[in-house]
């Protein structure tokens, strides 16, 4: 099993990534439909973390409100002392600091796959979007055998601010049989650096903003990417802890 922060990809040589810049939004002057973002990647953010030795690490996250980013719990490990959120596809590309990491399923034990691996950060200033990702519980549908497709938005390379792309639409399954009691899985597709990335429901062949899972870790031996599912327990916990 991975160490607590092994899913958060380190930046071993800061100079090697200084040329990375957030990719520009690709929507130009397209009008925005009320309640829908002109750029479909708008809620997707880079999460960067500094440890006590000032080392830089990175994950991915999803804006579910103007000041709330959902990501993997191991990206919020106590070894990290500061956080920044970079929103390259928001209407005005934005970088803000974040604080108050809160983890679902305390106490933290990332090596115990029976426990969830999800949490959230609170931004120190809001990021305004026309729409945010919607936390969505599809557990009953998966357990009933419904064939659901999902897609994630991930980095094109294992670099802190590599351009984002929509991954292939893949079948969603439960991973409870493998001991992940809060788990969903897909065929493995990630390139690295995407711990905490959102997994979104696909409807009528189109990726929606319905967030159904949070990237946890790959398992090459089984060819699975593991995700912590958004379920009734997570929704109740988030409502109780995220505030208004």
């Amino acid at each position: 099993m991975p160490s607590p922060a092994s899913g958060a990809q380190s930046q071993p040589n800061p100079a090697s990534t200084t040329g990375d810049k957030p990719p520009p939004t690709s929507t130009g002057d397209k009008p925005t439909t009320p309640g829908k973002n002109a750029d479909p990647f708008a809620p997707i953010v880079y999460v960067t973390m500094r440890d006590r030795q000032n080392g830089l690490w990175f994950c991915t996250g999803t804006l579910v409100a103007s000041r709330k980013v959902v990501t993997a719990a191991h990206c919020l490990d106590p070894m990290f002392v500061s956080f920044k959120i970079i929103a390259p596809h928001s209407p005005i590309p934005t970088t803000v600091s974040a604080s108050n990491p809160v983890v679902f399923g305390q106490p933290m034990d990332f090596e115990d796959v029976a426990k969830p691996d999800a949490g959230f950060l609170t931004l120190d200033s809001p990021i305004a979007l026309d729409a945010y990702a919607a936390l969505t519980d599809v557990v009953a549908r998966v357990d009933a055998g419904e064939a659901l497709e999902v897609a994630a938005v991930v980095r094109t390379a294992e670099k802190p601010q590599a351009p984002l792309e929509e991954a292939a639409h893949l079948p969603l399954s439960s991973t409870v049989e493998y001991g992940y009691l809060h788990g969903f899985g897909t065929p493995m597709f990630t390139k690295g650096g995407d711990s905490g990335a959102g997994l979104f429901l696909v409807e009528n062949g189109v990726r929606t903003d319905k967030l159904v899972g949070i990237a946890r870790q790959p398992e090459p031996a089984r060819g699975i990417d593991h995700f912590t599912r958004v379920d009734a327990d997570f929704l109740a916990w988030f409502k109780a802890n995220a505030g208004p």
Side-chain angles (χ1 to χ4, degrees):
M1 299 306 299
S3 59
S6 64
Q9 304 298 323
S10 65
Q11 181 183 358
N13 180 4
S16 69
T17 57
T18 54
D20 289 333
K21 296 181 180 179
T25 58
S26 58
T27 55
D29 294 323
K30 292 181 182 178
T32 301
T33 303
K36 186 175 182 180
N37 295 303
D39 189 324
F41 290 178
I44 314 303
V45 298
Y46 304 119
V47 182
T48 64
M49 306 87 77
R50 290 281 181 183
D51 61 28
R52 290 178 174 82
Q53 288 73 45
N54 203 37
L56 179 64
W57 302 66
F58 60 95
C59 285
T60 307
T62 306
L63 282 161
V64 297
S66 64
R67 294 186 61 198
K68 294 292 185 282
V69 165
V70 170
T71 189
H74 68 257
C75 301
L76 310 177
D77 189 278
M79 69 180 282
F80 301 124
V81 296
S82 67
F83 303 87
K84 285 192 181 297
I85 303 300
I86 303 165
H89 289 270
S90 63
I92 301 174
T94 303
T95 299
V96 300
S97 57
S99 55
N100 192 31
V102 185
V103 170
F104 176 47
Q106 292 272 22
M108 291 185 181
D109 185 354
F110 307 116
E111 296 194 11
D112 184 353
V113 300
K115 292 188 176 182
D117 184 6
F120 69 86
L121 286 162
T122 298
L123 279 61
D124 294 339
S125 56
I127 295 177
L129 303 179
D130 288 292
Y132 298 91
L135 295 167
T136 304
D137 178 2
V138 296
V139 173
R141 296 171 66 183
V142 172
D143 288 348
E146 185 175 349
L148 298 180
E149 282 195 331
V150 289
V153 177
V154 294
R155 289 172 172 81
T156 53
E158 194 173 351
K159 296 181 179 180
Q161 295 182 43
L164 299 170
E165 66 178 358
E166 182 172 326
H169 297 179
L170 296 169
L172 181 66
S173 61
S174 171
T175 52
V176 171
E177 65 181 297
Y178 303 127
Y180 292 80
L181 301 186
H182 297 263
F184 279 152
T186 67
M188 199 167 73
F189 66 91
T190 52
K191 297 181 174 70
D194 288 304
S195 287
L199 188 67
F200 298 92
L201 188 64
V202 171
E203 295 179 329
N204 300 316
V206 177
R207 181 184 62 83
T208 70
D209 281 337
K210 296 177 180 178
L211 179 65
V212 301
I214 300 109
R216 179 173 188 147
Q217 68 194 61
E219 187 181 0
R222 288 194 175 105
I224 294 173
D225 271 319
H226 288 282
F227 298 81
T228 298
R229 67 192 188 189
V230 174
D231 57 18
D233 290 340
F234 180 86
L235 290 172
W237 168 85
F238 186 84
K239 182 177 180 180
N241 288 275

